[in-house]
Amino acid sequence: MRKKDDVLEIGVLNLMHDKEDTKRRFERVLTREDCRVNLTWFYPVMHYQDREVPENVRQMSQPLDLNKVKELDAFIVTGAPLEKLDFDDVTYISELQELFDCLSTEGIEQLYVCWGAMVAANYFYGVDKYLLNQKLFGVYPQVILENSPLLEGLSDGFLAPHARYAELSCSQVREVPELSVVSVSETNHLFLAEARKERQTFLFSHLEYGRDALDKEYYRELQAHPEDAPVLAKAANYYDDPAKMTGMRFGWGKAQRHFFENWLKQAEENRFKKVCTQ
């Protein structure tokens, strides 16, 4: 067993637009009374190759350094507002791929979220991404297809938030022998996939979101693209009064709590196994 003074060292590559909120959300969901967790925040260097790194980014994170990554127990790659871009058009794609190789080679516990899950599954297993006819945006019941320790404590119908413009081909994921489709939404969109042998978890839901995150996302997109107001997706199954967009429901609180507790436990167990083999 781990000693009480041991610390689980987790790296996070923060690719989200709302970086401060993202940091607060992951700090909250990765807090456990029985496990000390230390988060180290990174940003992709190549993303800022032609411009100065913003002050808020420099204050909350450090440049991605694979030598530091190798010393970590687990690593998270967040989502990013890049679903509409081809992977090869992302300015820091080669830096991401070097990170993926490092994590895989070192046997580090990996959690890829939303776009992070798409780009990682594409790199490791060649699964294609495609644009949805309209944004998947709202809170939906999920269907459990395979047993997984990550869903311990949850049953069919648990709620989770989705917010994305693209999807991986679920049929392709099913055809990859190394991957398991663990859960999908009742709308038949991916929720969770896992590598059968590698330390890789692909979470397509923004399960780290807090109560107000979907609401904030809508108004952020509205402010950025007011011309899209007539067709901009409003979060489904989220408001007490959908017409007025009031009364935000935090229906995924239970799923959030169980999933991240289970993932931390899994990361802890992997760390213990690595220590025992050294």
Side-chain angles (χ1 to χ4, degrees):
M1 297 297 292
R2 285 173 57 91
K3 297 178 181 178
K4 290 184 178 179
D5 57 350
D6 283 346
V7 177
L8 189 64
E9 298 285 352
I10 301 177
V12 186
L13 185 66
N14 189 354
L15 306 176
M16 291 288 280
H17 33 62
D18 53 347
K19 298 189 187 303
E20 292 90 347
D21 279 352
T22 296
K23 186 172 185 290
R24 284 191 291 268
R25 290 166 188 155
F26 276 106
E27 287 173 341
R28 178 173 51 82
V29 300
L30 296 174
T31 298
R32 269 177 54 190
E33 293 182 357
D34 62 339
C35 175
R36 290 177 58 199
V37 176
N38 182 56
L39 299 180
T40 302
W41 297 83
F42 297 97
Y43 64 83
V45 177
M46 293 183 67
H47 186 48
Y48 303 103
Q49 56 188 317
D50 298 323
R51 58 193 174 102
E52 187 176 353
V53 180
E55 179 65 20
N56 69 323
V57 174
R58 284 193 287 111
Q59 287 183 351
M60 76 176 71
S61 54
Q62 57 185 271
L64 184 62
D65 182 337
L66 297 187
N67 288 323
K68 293 181 180 179
V69 169
K70 291 176 183 179
E71 302 300 318
L72 300 172
D73 301 314
F75 203 94
I76 297 171
V77 177
T78 72
L82 302 172
E83 303 105 308
K84 296 180 181 180
L85 281 181
D86 290 338
F87 293 130
D88 289 341
D89 291 335
V90 176
T91 57
Y92 49 88
I93 190 65
S94 61
E95 189 175 9
L96 272 181
Q97 292 170 347
E98 289 175 2
L99 169 65
F100 296 158
D101 285 337
C102 175
L103 295 170
S104 181
T105 299
E106 297 296 322
I108 294 170
E109 190 74 33
Q110 303 149 56
L111 174 60
Y112 301 103
V113 181
C114 200
W115 183 83
M118 297 182 205
V119 67
N122 174 264
Y123 178 68
F124 286 121
Y125 304 105
V127 182
D128 294 330
K129 173 174 69 71
Y130 66 93
L131 288 178
L132 297 168
N133 292 330
Q134 64 180 51
K135 183 179 183 180
L136 177 66
F137 193 46
V139 184
Y140 304 94
Q142 312 301 307
V143 179
I144 298 175
L145 303 177
E146 292 196 18
N147 292 329
S148 167
L150 292 174
L151 298 186
E152 185 177 343
L154 299 175
S155 56
D156 270 346
F158 71 87
L159 298 176
H162 292 261
R164 59 185 183 272
Y165 285 94
E167 179 80 325
L168 286 189
S169 170
C170 190
S171 60
Q172 281 191 21
V173 176
R174 294 177 189 275
E175 291 172 1
V176 177
E178 297 89 349
L179 293 178
S180 166
V181 179
V182 175
S183 179
V184 297
S185 68
E186 286 191 351
T187 58
N188 204 32
H189 293 90
L190 287 164
F191 171 75
L192 182 66
E194 294 179 76
R196 297 187 187 277
K197 295 183 179 180
E198 300 293 327
R199 310 302 306 183
Q200 299 163 347
T201 299
F202 305 93
L203 176 65
F204 297 90
S205 160
H206 275 290
L207 203 55
E208 82 281 4
Y209 272 8
R211 180 189 299 273
D212 62 349
L214 294 174
D215 190 65
K216 290 174 109 174
E217 181 166 329
Y218 171 81
Y219 284 107
R220 184 172 55 249
E221 291 193 359
L222 181 63
Q223 184 177 18
H225 302 285
E227 71 279 6
D228 292 340
V231 295
L232 191 61
K234 299 177 177 63
N237 313 312
Y238 176 51
Y239 298 104
D240 287 331
D241 188 335
K244 296 180 180 179
M245 295 177 64
T246 58
M248 297 168 284
R249 303 171 184 166
F250 187 37
W252 61 96
K254 178 180 179 181
Q256 180 185 89
R257 182 176 68 258
H258 281 288
F259 177 86
F260 285 104
E261 285 181 353
N262 292 335
W263 184 76
L264 285 172
K265 180 180 178 181
Q266 185 166 285
E268 222 179 1
E269 291 172 347
N270 184 48
R271 179 190 185 281
F272 182 73
K273 290 177 182 177
K274 290 177 68 176
V275 169
C276 289
T277 58
Q278 291 175 351

